[in-house]
Amino acid sequence: MDNNNNDNQIENANQNENENEMKNLQKKFINQFYLQDLLFNESLRQESLSISLNQFNKKEMESILSYIYYGNISFENQENLLQLLEISIYFKLNLLKEIIQKKILNSINYSNFFQFLFQNRNLNSNEIEIKCFELINQNFSQIQNNENLFNLTKEEIIKFIQFKQEKKEIFQFDFFQFLNNWIKKRNQRLKGKKYEHKMNEKKRLFHSFFSLFDKDSISKQDFDKLKQFQIFLPKSIFIKKQKKLIQDKKNSRKEN
């Protein structure tokens, strides 16, 4: 019984110590002149103003304070970088945000870009997302069956297609085949849904994705391959493409 009481007392003491440390950090943070302008200017002044640091780790907050007071900051690992970036965004520390983001961009490579991409969902950094998309695009043939690729959200798929289109890439049937497999896996997760519902969802997604492609970049060979998905794609696409191919063929004959 005495041992249990001692353990509880030690646990409570440790908890109180951690709470006191966080309160001290909070006081330092609020009193720091750099943030006084941010928190107490005319537009933000209120009768009562409080700031919560509970969602951040003590270690990362100490790193932020070290940067504010002394201009120094240390980076330990991937999680540490992302946590520091989140704090810098939260408190509008724009210069620090740029420093950390540059460090993150230099840290993203073939072995970790999926992890950074998924963890960026909370941060919504366009720069990090683009860097990850670049690596996906460069290594697509090697990773097209990677399970992480199928964990991309619909929004990320759309952004990735838009990224490819901005780079003026021609249509690639292999990528379209991946989209088909991605939709299949997504539908498999729709448990309890009827077959008709899944087919309608597949058609809706195909329409949504295919509308983003440059149709003129589709070669005749890829166009022929696409015919197997004809029931899921707008009929007008095939009619227009067929007319264009016929016209191109006529023009080619005239030139010859």
Side-chain angles (χ1 to χ4, degrees):
M1 188 72 176
D2 290 339
N3 289 335
N4 289 336
N5 288 334
N6 289 336
D7 290 341
N8 289 334
Q9 288 175 358
I10 292 172
E11 184 177 346
N12 290 334
N14 290 335
Q15 185 176 350
N16 290 334
E17 184 179 352
N18 289 334
E19 288 177 357
N20 289 333
E21 287 180 352
M22 285 303 294
K23 286 179 181 178
N24 289 332
L25 279 174
Q26 188 166 343
K27 288 178 182 178
K28 288 181 181 179
F29 204 77
I30 292 176
N31 289 333
Q32 213 287 326
F33 72 91
Y34 180 84
L35 289 173
Q36 282 182 339
D37 288 339
L38 173 66
L39 298 174
F40 298 104
N41 61 43
E42 290 293 334
S43 62
L44 295 176
R45 189 173 295 156
Q46 300 173 358
E47 290 184 5
S48 62
L49 181 62
S50 63
I51 183 170
S52 173
L53 307 180
N54 294 331
Q55 68 268 46
F56 302 122
N57 293 333
K58 172 178 170 289
K59 194 170 186 179
E60 274 73 31
M61 285 307 307
E62 287 177 336
S63 295
I64 292 290
L65 283 171
S66 175
Y67 167 78
I68 291 173
Y69 279 105
Y70 308 112
N72 300 322
I73 192 161
S74 60
F75 307 113
E76 297 180 1
N77 50 49
Q78 177 178 323
E79 289 72 22
N80 172 255
L81 277 171
L82 291 163
Q83 178 78 19
L84 290 173
L85 180 59
E86 183 179 0
I87 296 172
S88 67
I89 292 172
Y90 183 83
F91 290 111
K92 297 181 174 63
L93 302 171
N94 294 327
L95 180 58
L96 179 59
K97 174 188 170 184
E98 290 178 13
I99 293 171
I100 298 172
Q101 194 158 258
K102 185 176 180 180
K103 179 73 175 176
I104 289 175
L105 293 175
N106 290 332
S107 301
I108 299 175
N109 55 50
Y110 179 80
S111 65
N112 62 22
F113 63 84
F114 275 123
Q115 286 75 18
F116 272 108
L117 179 62
F118 296 152
Q119 290 172 328
N120 183 56
R121 288 170 179 170
N122 294 327
L123 301 174
N124 201 27
S125 166
N126 185 60
E127 290 82 359
I128 293 175
E129 188 173 65
I130 292 297
K131 180 65 180 288
C132 294
F133 283 167
E134 286 175 351
L135 285 164
I136 291 175
N137 203 38
Q138 291 168 10
N139 300 282
F140 184 78
S141 60
Q142 289 81 32
I143 64 170
Q144 58 183 316
N145 295 317
N146 188 309
E147 192 61 33
N148 282 317
L149 203 59
F150 294 99
N151 288 329
L152 296 179
T153 65
K154 176 190 171 184
E155 290 71 24
E156 287 166 343
I157 293 285
I158 289 174
K159 287 182 180 180
F160 183 57
I161 295 173
Q162 291 171 335
F163 164 81
K164 290 171 72 66
Q165 293 305 297
E166 287 173 4
K167 293 175 72 67
K168 306 295 183 184
E169 292 193 359
I170 62 172
F171 179 89
Q172 296 171 314
F173 183 76
D174 286 349
F175 179 68
F176 194 81
Q177 186 68 57
F178 155 73
L179 292 178
N180 177 53
N181 293 332
W182 182 90
I183 292 172
K184 279 183 180 179
K185 285 182 177 290
R186 187 177 188 273
N187 275 351
Q188 287 171 1
R189 301 185 189 114
L190 299 176
K191 295 181 179 179
K193 299 294 183 180
K194 293 182 178 179
Y195 175 81
E196 184 180 355
H197 174 86
K198 291 184 177 181
M199 288 301 100
N200 287 336
E201 179 67 5
K202 185 173 184 177
K203 186 174 182 179
R204 186 182 67 80
L205 287 169
F206 263 128
H207 276 239
S208 177
F209 293 153
F210 197 71
S211 66
L212 301 171
F213 287 104
D214 175 14
K215 315 305 182 297
D216 292 336
S217 71
I218 304 176
S219 68
K220 184 181 183 307
Q221 290 78 10
D222 283 342
F223 180 69
D224 289 338
K225 293 176 183 177
L226 279 175
K227 289 179 180 178
Q228 62 185 290
F229 301 106
Q230 195 163 351
I231 61 172
F232 299 110
L233 297 171
K235 291 181 180 179
S236 59
I237 297 296
F238 292 89
I239 295 172
K240 288 179 182 178
K241 188 65 179 178
Q242 192 64 45
K243 285 182 178 179
K244 187 177 186 307
L245 289 172
I246 292 172
Q247 187 61 47
D248 289 345
K249 192 173 183 180
K250 286 181 180 179
N251 293 338
S252 178
R253 285 175 179 173
K254 287 180 181 179
E255 290 175 1
N256 294 331

